[in-house]
Amino acid sequence: MTGPKVVLVGPMGVGKTTVGELLAARLGVSFRDTDADIVAAQGREISDIFVDEGEEHFRALEKTAVAAALVEHDGILALGGGAVLDASTRALLAEHPVACLLMDVEEAVRRTGLNQARPLLAVNPRKQWRELMESRRPLYAEVARVVVPTDDRTPDEVAQAVLDALELKEA
């Protein structure tokens, strides 16, 4: 199979980038984040894209970025929290080893706080995060080969749990 060794999905703030970088180091491969791809291609932050063009425009950029990364990248790939909203993206993910990282709402609020760089959590973070998770949890479950809770675990412990769950050996 070609494509990423592991694709990480899950809500914003769950640690996909941190865990992804650890997995990449352990497996001796590179790390790629589709949110970072979008920022690099657009020359501005995701929050600015949301404000200037809206979520629909951002989701179109995200869909394109994910499709490209799934073909081009063979290391560890982290997707933005809402990438699973697109049905064609979910269909593409069916062919890849996807690990979903999850956390409970209190942990999410602690990690994301009132961070203005997270446009979908700008008003009432606790309530909005719960609503996002209620709508996205079934989509994460649909694409994930494994689900790894991150609560009360260090990033190293989460990375090890992903390796174990997907039966991957360190380089």
Side-chain angles (χ1 to χ4, degrees):
M1 183 195 82
T2 59
K5 292 205 179 325
V6 179
V7 180
L8 296 173
V9 300
M12 61 187 86
V14 77
K16 296 181 297 285
T17 299
T18 302
V19 170
E21 289 170 343
L22 289 169
L23 286 169
R26 289 184 181 194
L27 294 172
V29 297
S30 60
F31 172 75
R32 183 167 172 178
D33 182 319
T34 57
D35 280 353
D37 290 351
I38 294 166
V39 169
Q42 297 297 307
R44 58 201 171 127
E45 295 302 314
I46 289 170
S47 55
D48 294 333
I49 298 168
F50 265 80
V51 169
D52 296 342
E53 278 94 18
E55 183 176 0
E56 188 175 330
H57 178 73
F58 171 74
R59 295 297 173 205
L61 296 173
E62 181 175 56
K63 176 181 173 178
T64 302
V66 171
L70 288 172
V71 172
E72 299 165 1
H73 189 64
D74 62 359
I76 306 301
L77 180 65
L79 306 188
V84 296
L85 295 171
D86 183 75
S88 62
T89 295
R90 293 193 308 275
L92 291 175
L93 288 172
E95 303 169 21
H96 298 279
V98 178
C100 175
L101 305 183
L102 289 180
M103 62 186 165
D104 70 24
V105 69
E106 296 310 318
E107 184 75 1
V109 170
R110 186 181 71 71
R111 292 185 195 182
T112 61
L114 296 169
N115 187 341
Q116 294 305 307
R118 300 191 186 273
L120 293 180
L121 295 183
V123 181
N124 180 343
R126 189 173 265 109
K127 177 177 182 280
Q128 289 179 306
W129 192 87
R130 263 196 198 100
E131 289 172 359
L132 283 174
M133 275 309 295
E134 284 172 17
S135 65
R136 294 176 181 179
R137 188 179 303 271
L139 304 177
Y140 291 139
E142 178 184 327
V143 301
R145 233 178 251 182
V146 298
V147 175
V148 178
T150 65
D151 301 292
D152 302 319
R153 283 178 152 167
T154 67
D156 278 315
E157 290 169 335
V158 174
Q160 188 60 52
V162 170
L163 291 173
D164 293 345
L166 290 173
E167 299 178 352
L168 296 171
K169 301 290 180 232
E170 293 188 39

